[in-house]
Amino acid sequence: MGTVELITEHTRRLPETVQREILNFVEFLFNKYSTPLTRSAVPTTRQAGLHAGCAVMAADFDAPL
């Protein structure tokens, strides 16, 4: 017996109110996974200078350890 048949068989034994909850959950999952995942707003090209001045280099950076 397949997964869908097992779900259907178990669901038929439950009260109508619980069946409606299951339907709502299945619709939620369908909406969640049927829409393509959108990527966050990542620029397609790099832009120099966005974090200018954020990093500070020590004056003795090139000094021997």
Side-chain angles (χ1 to χ4, degrees):
M1 192 176 258
T3 305
V4 175
E5 289 83 12
L6 284 172
I7 293 170
T8 304
E9 184 178 325
H10 289 297
T11 304
R12 284 187 182 145
R13 297 178 188 167
L14 296 171
E16 178 73 23
T17 56
V18 178
Q19 290 177 3
R20 291 197 184 278
E21 284 186 50
I22 294 169
L23 176 62
N24 289 338
F25 182 65
V26 170
E27 288 174 347
F28 164 76
L29 291 175
F30 180 78
N31 290 331
K32 180 178 179 180
Y33 292 109
S34 68
T35 57
L37 297 175
T38 57
R39 299 185 77 173
S40 60
V42 177
T44 56
T45 58
R46 299 176 109 182
Q47 185 177 358
L50 289 177
H51 293 91
C54 290
V56 178
M57 190 173 299
D60 63 345
F61 178 78
D62 288 331
L65 299 174

